[in-house]
Amino acid sequence: VKSMTPSLSEALAVLGSTLFTREEAAGMASGNGDGELDVLLETGRVVKVADDLYWYGLETPLGLSSARPWDVMKRLYGECGGVGASGANAVNLLHLSTQVSAWDTWAVPVLHEVHLNRVRLVDRSDRAARAAAGLSYVEITVLEALAVPEWWEQREDEGIKTIGRTIARAVGDGGNDVWDGARVRVGAANEPLEVRRLLERVLSQM
């Protein structure tokens, strides 16, 4: 009698592009789902993108579709996991610069090994107040942008106004879930002194 539970390949084909753990793979399939995952990894039909996190993408003329970094970060760190853009990415996303980094750089509360093309993680385990306060992606991205000293040396007044306008637009879309001044101040407790000084200037105009 044929099992009514699909094989892992069949289950993934129904789901389409998806991220999953080894435990989730075992729950999708009949029989040896764990062994079938190993076969799919060997053939390249499934790729490992992080610690115990796997990607099943769509096959395209250019190869397997890639996992979106933001989706991987949400699986690794949760919706409010202390994650945000960092470095030139943060500056660009806040409309402070049109320069685009060759790397998609993320500030994270704890490092995971990730296998994503041109994605780099920056360890912010020394800034635990961010995750403890539940800072949003926008809030952490602002703190990261404020920590790029070469950008602020000559353009502080202009930059503070630009960040204020960007935050206002974000709040219009997402409300206090995106930006809350009191929450950011608490979450910035471990930031460098200069970042906290610049943050106070941002908060003063909100």
Side-chain angles (χ1 to χ4, degrees), residues 78-157:
E79 291 288 347
C80 288
V83 172
S86 185
N89 291 95
V91 171
N92 176 266
L93 287 170
L94 293 172
H95 306 291
L96 297 170
S97 171
T98 57
Q99 180 182 353
V100 179
S101 173
W103 289 83
D104 191 1
T105 309
W106 296 74
V108 297
V110 59
L111 284 179
H112 286 279
E113 182 180 353
V114 295
H115 309 281
L116 295 170
N117 187 38
R118 293 193 174 279
V119 171
R120 179 167 51 200
L121 304 187
V122 178
D123 183 7
R124 293 294 189 233
S125 57
D126 60 340
R127 301 179 192 182
R130 294 178 175 186
L135 296 192
S136 72
Y137 172 83
V138 171
E139 290 165 340
I140 291 173
T141 297
V142 169
L143 293 178
E144 287 292 315
L146 296 178
V148 181
E150 60 271 22
W151 199 91
W152 294 97
E153 288 173 357
Q154 304 295 329
R155 295 163 287 188
E156 182 172 322
D157 290 342

Side-chain angles (χ1 to χ4, degrees), residues 136 138-139 166-180 183:
S136 72
V138 171
E139 290 165 340
T166 304
I167 292 171
R169 286 194 294 270
V171 170
D173 293 334
N176 288 344
D177 289 341
V178 171
W179 180 269
D180 180 277
R183 181 175 64 214

Side-chain angles (χ1 to χ4, degrees), residues 46-62:
V46 167
V47 295
K48 184 175 182 179
V49 294
D51 305 330
D52 191 33
L53 190 62
Y54 304 89
W55 169 250
Y56 176 87
L58 297 178
E59 291 181 308
T60 76
L62 298 178

Side-chain angles (χ1 to χ4, degrees), residues 3 5-11 24-34 36:
S3 172
T5 306
S7 68
L8 181 58
S9 295
E10 291 169 335
E24 290 167 344
M28 292 180 201
S30 61
N32 187 15
D34 202 48
E36 191 177 355

